[in-house]
Amino acid sequence: MDYKDTLSLPQTDFAMRGNLPNLEPKRYQKWKEQEVYEQMQTLRKDAKQSFFIHDGPPYANGHLHIGHALNKILKDIITKYHYFQGKKILYTPGWDCHGLPIEQQVEKDLGKEKKDSLSINAIRELCREHAKKFVAIQSNEFEQLGVVGDFKNPYKTMDFQFESNIFATLCEVAKKGLLLERNKPIYWSWACQTALADAEVEYKDKQSDSVYVAFKLSDAALKSLNLLHGSLVIWTTTPWTLPANVAIALSPNQNYVLTKKGFIVAKALHEKLAQQGIVDTEIEKEIPSKNLENLHAINPLNQRKSHIILGDHVSMEDGTGAVHTAPGHGEEDYYIALKYDLEVLMPVDDKGCYSEEIIHKKLLPEHFLGKHIFKAQQEILELLGDSLLKHVVITHSYPHCWRSHQPVIYRATTQWFIVMDKPFHQGKTLREVALDAINETTFYPESGRNRIKTMVENRPDWCISRQRDWGVPIAFFKDKATGVTLLDEEVLKFLKDRFAKEGCDIWWSETISDLLPQSHKHLAPNLEKCMHILDVWFESGSTWNAVLKTQNNSPIYKAGSYPADMYLEGSDQHRGWFQSSLLLSCILQGRAPFKSILTHGFTVDEKGEKMSKSKGNVIAPESILKNQGGEILRLWVGMNDYQSDLRISSNIISQVGEQYKKIRNTMRFLLANINDLEKLADLNTLSPIDLWILKVTQSTLKQVHSYFQKYNFVKGLQILMHYITNELSGIYMDLCKDSLYCDSKNSVQLLASKTTMAIITRNLAHTLAPFLTYTIDEVIEFAPEVLKNGAKNVFMLEPYNLDILNTLELKEDFHFLLAVREKFSEIIDNLKKEKIIKSSLEIAIYAPNTDFKLLDQWLIVSEIITTPPKDNIASFEIEGKNFQLSLATKHKCPRCWRYLAQTKDTLCARCQEVIS
């Protein structure tokens, strides 16, 4: 007889294979239709605690890359973790919509001729449409990653009200007295024709001309020093700046030496320079640097006088001790030039080409006009003639524009700055207030504190002006005659109100008179517009003011209150968004806009190399969604140490896919075996093994959540996977099969085991829900009501309170029993290899010193025998207790396969009773 139909075999419609690429989009669409985010708000409206991350806005330009996926999934996991811990959560996604990349893309699509024929407002409208298109694309792509949030009402920096708020933030900075317009050298991207802030500069290797050049002392200087000859030797890696030289800086407390051939260098560096063959070895005279101060040397390029000055910035580590000083091309040069009231020459235009100043000031021959500085450099070296003492090409780290990836230059222009060192708040400077705020912030990892602290300690004033079209204007009027900026409150309010209703395009389309309130229109003929736009870092840095602060006593966005619980971005944002947000919040509010900062690393390939199209190692989120599914990507985020760089490749994703299968099949086994459970059994009916696995579950989940609370997901999931693989699947689920399949449906033991599995399934699902939200939603769909406990979907799922287990005592020593099981399994494996047995069910065990009544179930053997076996096939000892194994003496039951039948081909007593 075939007894298969008499068994209670597991049954569930929860599929073994997830078919994620096909089914995920359908479920996510259902979530949108069911408005699950709004449902989450309703379910937690009375929660006493809340948690919200303020979203750092991605840029609305192009499809998502794997870094976007990492960032948004991590935010979603953390937000959902707090939600499933019973807190009210709010998550409003946002987008940076202004800035150079969008403008460049529009220009590229238009072509130069068409672009030049369009008005600024026409270009701005095209930029707006481009950003709008990619906000919609990225929004859909984020939701396909299982990210849940207020995607119906995201914040966009190009919205009219948002533009008004950005301008309002600028006005507040000005009122605090920290906004200054001045001419000084700043990073300039000639490729993008705009100023750059520190955060927009990246350092890459560059080849440069390293030159040593002799500047002969003027006749007056030689006479003053009583010398017949003498030339100061300078060293520079930017020979293109030599036409703008106005001075040579020496160290104030050093002696300089004159060599026999007439070269003057710092005494401390003479030997090194002589060894390199730059100067001769014989010294004629020592000259204190103060004796050279305010004398002049002659620039060999143009015969202009170069003022000899003293500066503490002059290094004795390298160079010659005589520093070429061009205040239009260097910050230190600029400040030392202010001290000596020196002229600031700036012969380089916006495009990085020599301007007409080279002619007006007689800096270079006329044919250099319009030549790019880097292309002209070789000819400059030729012009130096015998004054060029040495020339080599070096490779060194050099600042590059983060957008064009071209080398940047230092260039003096008139820009707007937020000053760092002017007291404004309780006698403290912005730098001091920001450093105080950093000390009050929690960092994950803690090393982030010193990283941003060092950057704030050393950062220069913040250049916030840009020379482009697509952005929020620095909408100030200036008096034509005096250059004084009009910061009248009525004028600023009038502009803010109009920007909120009509957008800031009107700054370009309307006349000055139109942009003034009636009370100030008479000033229009005397005013001019500032035509700079704001740095996009200023825009994104002010988002807390628009998103978290209430406007006119009413929040525009349901995104939480100020300050945010967390800012979460890549570690590069210590010098970017974290810092710009921190500075603006400290100016307006005197504190940070966040309580904590969490950072993640970058995505790299499996060899740890940066991804690039040229290497062919780029993995797009779209390809993972198409081939494996978003759940695999979410699990990859959770199971990796995000604080370091995260490796990803097809091979790595396949490995994560195997982990997902383990989780899914575990959930499937549990669901299949509790599918007919209608009511949880009394916990007092649990067997010691049931109670053991529940207490292990309780302990494991407590440990897991202790790591999750610290956002250490990789460690928490490692512990969880170990538990699923070993105690749950490897032991409990395996040894329960006999009872689950073969016991009577009314068996106390069977109902206890199913109750145990239902409790575990619910709490395991609840723990995994922040990571595998889709999968757990599917689990809830196919789960019996006893597990759901009223939940219609994953977002309604509540855990079973495991604290009730604290009232139940586990008397058996399971540390001992686990040691027994481990040794027994080792022996069974050997017996199988020796082909003595095929299954542990062929074994009977004699354990005279052990009174654990469920030892046969624990070891999955047919029976415990009470008399020593005549022919034991193996034995072992654990903690002084003996165990002897023999072949079972009874017959194999054709229904349960245990060797407990009295005669061949008959049922054992248990199976006979079930069938009867």
Side-chain angles (χ1 to χ4, degrees):
M1 177 179 174
D2 186 356
Y3 291 101
K4 183 179 179 182
D5 293 338
T6 71
L7 300 174
S8 297
L9 295 176
Q11 186 176 348
T12 180
D13 291 329
F14 182 79
M16 182 183 295
R17 296 184 180 277
N19 193 13
L20 301 175
N22 292 324
L23 297 182
E24 279 177 343
K26 296 175 183 177
R27 190 168 292 266
Y28 293 150
Q29 180 59 35
K30 188 169 77 172
W31 287 1
K32 289 177 76 169
E33 292 167 1
Q34 293 175 342
E35 298 184 326
V36 295
Y37 179 74
E38 291 77 4
Q39 184 186 111
M40 292 165 76
Q41 307 309 307
T42 302
L43 288 167
R44 295 287 188 267
K45 69 178 186 298
D46 297 324
K48 294 179 180 178
Q49 291 181 292
S50 64
F51 178 87
F52 52 92
I53 292 171
H54 176 48
D55 194 28
Y59 200 66
N61 187 33
H63 290 269
L64 300 186
H65 54 66
I66 203 71
H68 287 126
L70 162 63
N71 179 263
K72 271 294 195 290
I73 288 172
L74 191 53
K75 287 174 182 171
D76 188 62
I77 288 171
I78 290 176
T79 298
K80 284 177 182 169
Y81 174 73
H82 285 280
Y83 171 80
F84 282 107
Q85 295 304 301
K87 297 178 187 177
K88 180 179 181 179
I89 58 95
L90 292 162
Y91 178 65
T92 297
W95 275 271
D96 250 339
C97 301
H98 295 127
L100 188 61
I102 289 173
E103 191 175 342
Q104 284 181 324
Q105 187 58 50
V106 167
E107 288 177 358
K108 182 180 176 183
D109 294 343
L110 284 172
K112 190 174 188 311
E113 284 188 23
K114 191 171 181 182
K115 185 254 180 183
D116 291 343
S117 69
L118 293 177
S119 67
I120 289 178
N121 276 37
I123 292 170
R124 284 175 63 85
E125 185 56 36
L126 290 171
C127 290
R128 187 176 295 279
E129 287 302 313
H130 182 90
K132 183 179 177 182
K133 170 186 170 184
F134 279 102
V135 166
I137 287 171
Q138 291 184 6
S139 178
N140 180 64
E141 290 174 339
F142 282 135
E143 290 184 89
Q144 292 308 306
L145 296 171
V147 176
V148 174
D150 192 3
F151 283 94
K152 289 182 180 178
N153 188 35
Y155 75 82
K156 296 173 292 221
T157 57
M158 66 180 178
D159 287 344
F160 292 169
Q161 179 63 54
F162 216 104
E163 289 181 334
S164 174
N165 191 276
I166 293 167
F167 178 63
T169 303
L170 176 68
C171 294
E172 290 300 312
V173 175
K175 287 178 195 175
K176 297 282 187 180
L178 298 183
L179 191 62
L180 295 178
E181 187 183 26
R182 65 182 180 215
N183 182 283
K184 73 183 284 284
I186 42 87
Y187 285 122
W188 182 269
S189 172
W190 52 266
C192 299
Q193 297 177 46
T194 186
L196 299 175
D198 276 29
E200 297 172 298
V201 172
E202 59 185 17
Y203 283 82
K204 298 193 294 186
D205 283 350
K206 174 185 180 293
Q207 285 193 328
S208 294
D209 294 296
S210 170
V211 298
Y212 291 84
V213 181
F215 279 57
K216 289 182 179 179
L217 294 179
S218 69
D219 290 343
L222 291 172
K223 185 177 180 181
S224 173
L225 295 167
N226 195 26
L227 298 177
L228 296 175
H229 64 172
S231 297
L232 277 169
V233 180
I234 64 95
W235 170 63
T236 182
T237 57
T238 55
W240 59 268
T241 65
L242 287 171
N245 173 279
V246 298
I248 297 173
L250 310 180
S251 180
N253 301 308
Q254 295 287 330
N255 279 351
Y256 286 69
V257 295
L258 171 70
T259 69
K260 186 175 182 180
K261 290 185 178 179
F263 298 121
I264 300 171
V265 295
K267 181 181 180 182
L269 292 164
H270 171 255
E271 186 177 345
K272 185 192 293 186
L273 292 166
Q275 287 174 354
Q276 296 175 51
I278 296 164
V279 299
D280 50 314
T281 57
E282 194 172 337
I283 295 173
E284 275 194 0
K285 187 176 184 179
E286 282 193 26
I287 309 169
S289 60
K290 62 183 179 182
N291 291 1
L292 289 157
E293 185 180 19
N294 291 320
L295 301 179
H296 292 89
I298 305 299
N299 187 336
L301 268 182
N302 48 35
Q303 307 308 304
R304 286 172 59 93
K305 286 184 177 180
S306 186
H307 199 116
I308 301 171
I309 59 179
L310 303 181
D312 291 327
H313 66 290
V314 179
S315 168
M316 291 295 118
E317 297 297 318
D318 48 28
T320 66
V323 175
H324 151 57
T325 301
H329 291 301
E331 192 163 22
E332 286 179 330
D333 296 20
Y334 175 79
Y335 286 117
I336 194 74
L338 287 179
K339 178 181 174 182
Y340 282 90
D341 194 25
L342 300 176
E343 182 181 14
V344 177
L345 298 175
M346 176 36 58
V348 179
D349 67 16
D350 291 359
K351 296 178 181 178
C353 300
Y354 285 117
S355 68
E356 291 190 356
E357 187 162 328
I358 64 167
I359 299 169
H360 300 325
K361 301 281 186 175
K362 298 181 180 179
L363 306 182
L364 282 172
E366 190 171 338
H367 69 269
F368 278 90
L369 180 64
K371 272 194 177 183
H372 195 278
I373 52 173
F374 293 151
K375 291 181 180 177
Q377 194 151 266
Q378 185 57 41
E379 197 171 345
I380 284 175
L381 298 182
E382 292 170 5
L383 277 180
L384 289 170
D386 293 341
S387 297
L388 179 60
L389 304 181
K390 185 173 184 178
H391 168 218
V392 294
V393 176
I394 62 168
T395 299
H396 61 153
S397 182
Y398 190 87
H400 286 66
C401 171
W402 74 322
R403 293 299 187 194
S404 67
H405 305 296
Q406 293 294 328
V408 301
I409 60 177
Y410 248 106
R411 180 172 177 265
T413 59
T414 300
Q415 303 290 341
W416 290 90
F417 295 86
I418 292 176
V419 296
M420 294 294 297
D421 297 308
K422 178 183 177 182
F424 80 104
H425 179 76
Q426 299 174 356
K428 292 185 176 181
T429 66
L430 176 54
R431 195 184 309 277
E432 290 168 336
V433 175
L435 291 171
D436 287 345
I438 289 168
N439 288 334
E440 293 167 6
T441 301
T442 302
F443 284 85
Y444 305 96
E446 174 60 28
S447 58
R449 184 187 311 279
N450 285 336
R451 182 173 163 82
I452 191 171
K453 185 177 180 181
T454 301
M455 290 174 176
V456 170
E457 284 173 340
N458 298 314
R459 71 160 295 142
D461 293 342
W462 179 7
C463 177
I464 62 165
S465 48
R466 297 292 179 271
Q467 293 65 52
R468 302 296 300 190
D469 297 332
W470 180 226
V472 174
I474 298 178
F476 295 146
F477 296 110
K478 294 171 70 173
D479 188 290
K480 291 179 183 176
T482 65
V484 174
T485 303
L486 179 66
L487 294 175
D488 185 281
E489 180 59 38
E490 190 177 347
V491 174
L492 298 179
K493 185 179 184 306
F494 183 78
L495 283 171
K496 283 183 276 187
D497 291 345
R498 289 206 61 193
F499 287 171
K501 293 172 185 173
E502 304 164 70
C504 58
D505 290 2
I506 60 172
W507 185 251
W508 288 271
S509 63
E510 296 195 4
T511 65
I512 292 175
S513 179
D514 292 336
L515 293 168
L516 288 169
Q518 193 63 42
S519 58
H520 288 71
K521 287 189 184 297
H522 66 282
L523 298 176
N526 304 320
L527 299 177
E528 61 184 3
K529 295 178 187 176
C530 172
M531 298 309 290
H532 297 287
I533 64 168
L534 279 166
D535 172 15
V536 288
W537 289 108
F538 185 100
E539 292 194 22
S540 61
S542 69
T543 55
W544 58 267
N545 197 20
V547 178
L548 303 180
K549 300 288 283 185
T550 57
Q551 312 297 324
N552 301 319
N553 299 317
S554 176
I556 297 173
Y557 304 96
K558 294 178 180 177
S561 57
Y562 172 94
D565 289 293
M566 178 178 284
Y567 273 33
L568 189 169
E569 301 300 329
S571 55
D572 57 330
Q573 296 307 322
H574 285 120
R575 67 197 298 263
W577 188 58
F578 296 151
Q579 204 173 136
S580 63
S581 301
L582 171 70
L583 295 179
L584 291 177
S585 182
C586 285
I587 294 170
L588 272 64
Q589 300 293 323
R591 62 149 299 150
F594 36 70
K595 297 175 187 174
S596 66
I597 280 180
L598 185 146
T599 52
H600 58 76
F602 301 103
T603 52
V604 295
D605 68 13
E606 61 185 336
K607 296 177 182 176
E609 295 180 1
K610 186 177 179 181
M611 292 187 179
S612 69
K613 290 180 181 178
S614 60
K615 288 182 182 176
N617 62 350
V618 173
I619 293 187
E622 181 185 9
S623 68
I624 297 175
L625 295 181
K626 183 178 178 181
N627 297 312
Q628 285 92 4
E631 290 288 83
I632 310 303
L633 197 52
R634 292 180 67 89
L635 191 58
W636 167 76
V637 172
M639 299 189 93
N640 274 277
D641 180 6
Y642 60 79
Q643 293 182 0
S644 305
D645 287 347
L646 285 81
R647 298 179 185 233
I648 189 166
S649 66
S650 298
N651 183 45
I652 289 170
I653 286 296
S654 294
Q655 292 171 22
V656 176
E658 291 303 311
Q659 298 278 61
Y660 174 77
K661 285 179 187 176
K662 180 64 182 175
I663 294 170
R664 185 176 184 90
N665 287 333
T666 299
M667 300 304 287
R668 184 173 185 272
F669 179 91
L670 293 167
L671 286 177
N673 284 289
I674 62 172
N675 70 309
D676 58 351
L677 184 65
E678 296 178 356
K679 182 181 177 183
L680 296 181
D682 188 322
L683 295 187
N684 289 309
T685 65
L686 299 183
S687 74
I689 294 176
D690 295 327
L691 186 55
W692 164 77
I693 192 61
L694 281 176
K695 283 188 175 283
V696 169
T697 304
Q698 179 188 30
S699 172
T700 299
L701 294 186
K702 186 176 181 180
Q703 192 178 7
V704 167
H705 284 292
S706 73
Y707 283 107
F708 285 0
Q709 285 166 6
K710 295 178 284 190
Y711 310 115
N712 189 343
F713 300 123
V714 61
K715 184 64 175 176
L717 286 174
Q718 282 174 355
I719 292 168
L720 193 64
M721 288 304 297
H722 184 275
Y723 156 81
I724 289 172
T725 303
N726 294 283
E727 289 92 345
L728 183 58
S729 297
I731 300 177
Y732 185 73
M733 284 163 46
D734 195 27
L735 62 80
C736 280
K737 289 176 182 176
D738 177 70
S739 176
L740 290 168
Y741 301 169
C742 302
D743 277 3
S744 164
K745 288 186 178 181
N746 298 320
S747 159
V748 172
Q749 181 177 340
L750 178 64
L751 291 176
S753 295
K754 290 192 173 189
T755 294
T756 300
M757 288 186 175
I759 292 171
I760 290 172
T761 308
R762 191 196 299 179
N763 284 47
L764 194 55
H766 185 268
T767 302
L768 288 167
F771 305 88
L772 303 176
T773 320
Y774 165 91
T775 302
I776 302 307
D777 195 44
E778 193 182 356
V779 166
I780 301 303
E781 180 181 337
F782 294 108
E785 181 55 38
V786 71
L787 185 145
K788 295 180 184 180
N789 198 30
K792 298 290 189 292
N793 59 32
V794 62
F795 304 103
M796 300 175 72
L797 181 63
E798 297 290 341
Y800 184 90
N801 185 3
L802 295 176
D803 288 344
I804 196 171
L805 298 174
N806 297 337
T807 63
L808 301 175
E809 184 183 356
L810 187 61
K811 297 176 181 177
E812 288 75 8
D813 182 358
F814 272 87
H815 291 292
F816 167 71
L817 291 172
L818 284 166
V820 170
R821 198 175 195 280
E822 183 179 359
K823 185 62 179 177
F824 175 79
S825 298
E826 182 184 317
I827 291 171
I828 290 297
D829 284 343
N830 288 331
L831 291 173
K832 287 178 180 178
K833 286 176 185 175
E834 294 168 9
K835 298 186 178 179
I836 295 172
I837 61 169
K838 294 180 179 178
S839 163
S840 64
L841 289 175
E842 296 175 43
I843 297 295
I845 190 163
Y846 175 63
N849 310 118
T850 305
D851 56 3
F852 183 48
K853 293 184 174 64
L854 300 177
L855 190 62
D856 54 342
Q857 184 185 350
W858 181 247
L859 299 179
I860 316 179
V861 297
S862 283
E863 64 176 328
I864 304 168
I865 53 177
T866 55
T867 57
K870 294 178 181 178
D871 301 310
N872 66 316
I873 55 174
S875 63
F876 63 94
E877 181 181 306
I878 300 289
E879 295 182 13
K881 297 184 178 182
N882 298 311
F883 298 84
Q884 295 183 42
L885 282 61
S886 68
L887 293 173
T889 56
K890 296 175 184 175
H891 298 277
K892 182 179 181 180
C893 172
R895 182 171 180 271
C896 70
W897 296 1
R898 293 177 71 186
Y899 286 74
L900 292 174
Q902 297 299 325
T903 58
K904 190 177 180 183
D905 297 330
T906 60
L907 298 176
C908 66
R910 187 266 309 262
C911 289
Q912 183 63 53
E913 183 181 348
V914 172
I915 286 184
S916 298

